[in-house]
Amino acid sequence: MNAVLVLTACLSVALALPTGPPTTACPNMIPQHGPSTVSGEPPYEVTIGKTTYSKGASVQVTVATTNETSFRGFFVQARVNDADFATNEALGTFSDYPEQTGGVECTADNPNSAWGHKNNNDKTSVVATWTYDGPCEDVGDLAFRVTVVQGNPATRYYTDIVSSNLMFDADKCETGAASYVISSIFTIITSIMVAVLAY
């Protein structure tokens, strides 16, 4: 009987959460697979295509192996990189991700506020687009926090893999706001002219 229980427990760990990170893991991003059985520098990294962010700006995000060591699961969030980085709320929205991956609702009413795996097939690299949809104000430097599950068994995972920082770009926000004002004024003037001519 004990042998059956042990075998069942081992099997459940080996097959743990193959369809993606659960929302219960959103705050600390730690897999519910039991304690990690790996140590040392992770053979994975997260890289970003820009160094700044602003409202509506998109950034390419890549999670990849650094030495051909494949992985089966991953979990990514963008967060303010301050003293509370380990538990800060996910910001922005992920899109354009491959079919084997998908969004995770770590922020209320945003099903793509985080990004993770949707199967436990071996992967060496995954790429998605992240867009900052917050206010046009400096909330602080942002960074992407990543957990990667190497698998075989599922207790082989690495946490706290962090990207370089994204710094707020006020100029882009101001340019966007100015463009909106100019566009609005042009629209109003055009409407007035059409009304006058029609009269």
Side-chain angles (χ1 to χ4, degrees):
M1 181 67 175
N2 288 339
V4 172
L5 291 174
V6 170
L7 180 60
T8 301
C10 289
L11 183 60
S12 67
V13 168
L15 301 178
L17 308 174
T19 57
T23 56
T24 52
C26 287
N28 60 22
M29 299 185 67
I30 297 176
Q32 299 173 353
H33 304 170
S36 176
T37 56
V38 294
S39 59
E41 287 295 314
Y44 310 104
E45 64 180 359
V46 53
T47 56
I48 52 180
K50 292 183 180 177
T51 57
T52 62
Y53 73 95
S54 60
K55 185 175 180 61
S58 295
V59 179
Q60 182 174 287
V61 182
T62 304
V63 178
T65 177
T66 58
N67 66 0
E68 302 304 320
T69 301
S70 62
F71 56 96
R72 294 193 167 187
F74 70 96
F75 195 16
V76 186
Q77 294 180 27
R79 297 179 170 188
V80 175
N81 194 2
D82 59 13
D84 297 317
F85 183 63
T87 54
N88 278 339
E89 184 178 66
L91 298 176
T93 299
F94 287 93
S95 62
D96 302 328
Y97 38 72
E99 289 185 5
Q100 62 181 341
T101 74
V104 182
E105 188 172 355
C106 285
T107 302
D109 301 321
N110 185 352
N112 295 304
S113 53
W115 172 43
H117 63 285
K118 289 299 181 184
N119 62 41
N120 59 0
N121 296 342
D122 287 338
K123 311 163 183 64
T124 56
S125 177
V126 286
V127 182
T129 299
W130 175 86
T131 303
Y132 181 68
D133 49 16
C136 192
E137 62 184 44
D138 189 354
V139 297
D141 289 352
L142 305 184
F144 292 88
R145 184 173 187 232
V146 183
T147 296
V148 176
V149 179
Q150 182 176 326
N152 292 321
T155 53
R156 295 184 60 82
Y157 63 84
Y158 296 86
T159 60
D160 299 315
I161 302 171
V162 180
S163 73
S164 56
N165 278 353
L166 282 171
M167 296 176 289
F168 181 69
D169 188 341
D171 291 338
K172 286 185 179 178
C173 268
E174 290 170 3
T175 300
S179 297
Y180 175 78
V181 171
I182 292 171
S183 176
S184 298
I185 292 172
F186 180 76
T187 300
I188 292 170
I189 292 173
T190 301
S191 298
I192 292 172
M193 291 178 64
V194 169
V196 169
L197 291 174
Y199 182 78

